[in-house]
Amino acid sequence: MKVVAITGPRKTGVFDIEKPVPGPGQVLIRIHACALCTFEQRVFTQVTKKALPYVGGHECAGVIEELGPGVDAAAWPLGRKVAVRVLQSCGTCYYCRHGQENLCTGAYAKSAASAGSLNPNGLGEYLAVNLDQVYPLADDTPYEQAVFVEPFACVLNSIERGQIELGDDVAVIGGGIMGMLHVIASKMSGARVILSEPDPNRAEMARRYGADVVLNPKEEDVVARVKELTGGMGANVVFNTTPFAALAAQAVAMTAPLGRCVMYSSLHPDEPIQVSPNAIHNTEVVITGSKSPSVKSFDTSARILSKGIVDLRPLLTESYEKEDADTAFERACSMDTYRVMIKF
Ligand SMILES: [Zn+2]
Ligand SMILES: [Zn+2]
């Protein structure tokens, strides 16, 4: 089988490796599409250092091709379209047992162990996975939609952290792919959504997905504008989807008393910001974060996208064959794409 691996700064290659055999209780997935997440983009540009070659890919979908011993053929029919939760959780740590598998203390140890080798991952033709990693989709779910199950699941975990109530004001900082998915999910949650994004094309896309107000941070003081729009309070829920410390500080500043401020994006570089403990004391504001999807948010995402409740295909900007992975990665890193996928 073929895999696409990052081999150096802004370089990839296609490699032949042995096709995995599904073990007891596992299925073999024929991967047909995998989108390039910000994480893989950072490995490609070497912002994030990983042992190379690195086969990434965790936003993937395909069909069940083979059943391992003991798998119920009626429940897991061959040819069934599925999304795969590549990131494994241990199932036994405190966080797994509290429904927060995204914080599993065992998962990353496992994925780190496979770095620097050509172990199969989402960016390849096949993956043998446990049944709890497999999320069935309707047969007519296009791959351009199916590859969003993982990123949308990450955002749904963030939405849960934000605890949006009907009629709330939600501010989203950044209108890239993750900002856009936050706009969409916040609208689905019954909020008025204010987006801060300077790029006119992204602003237009956000309006198409129902953003109520789009502010241009290059032209206006967005903290002041959010307060103005909310009768001086600030937004009930704020999501920072950008990697910039200054904007993380802005997110805190525009959160209403009793509101929730969610640090969705990691910061690069990780510069500390100043937060006044007195302001937290006086406002009971909650500053929290959100990382990766939980099992529940993954399932919810698969259900929403499989049913076509929201159409994310406009956010799949381009798709490439595996031989053109260099171009795919370059385009994925570009400001004028949302998501780019590789077909297998
Ligand atoms: Zn991702
Ligand atoms: Zn765990």
Side-chain angles (χ1 to χ4, degrees), residues 89-93 96 104-106:
S89 38
C90 74
T92 58
C93 74
C96 283
C104 173
T105 49

Side-chain angles (χ1 to χ4, degrees), residues 9 20 52 55 71 76 82 93 134 136 150 158 165 182 235 240 256 276 308 340:
L52 302 176
V55 183
V71 175
W76 303 94
V82 298
C93 74
V134 182
E150 196 274 348
S158 179
E165 292 183 26
H182 274 87
N240 177 35
S276 155
V340 169

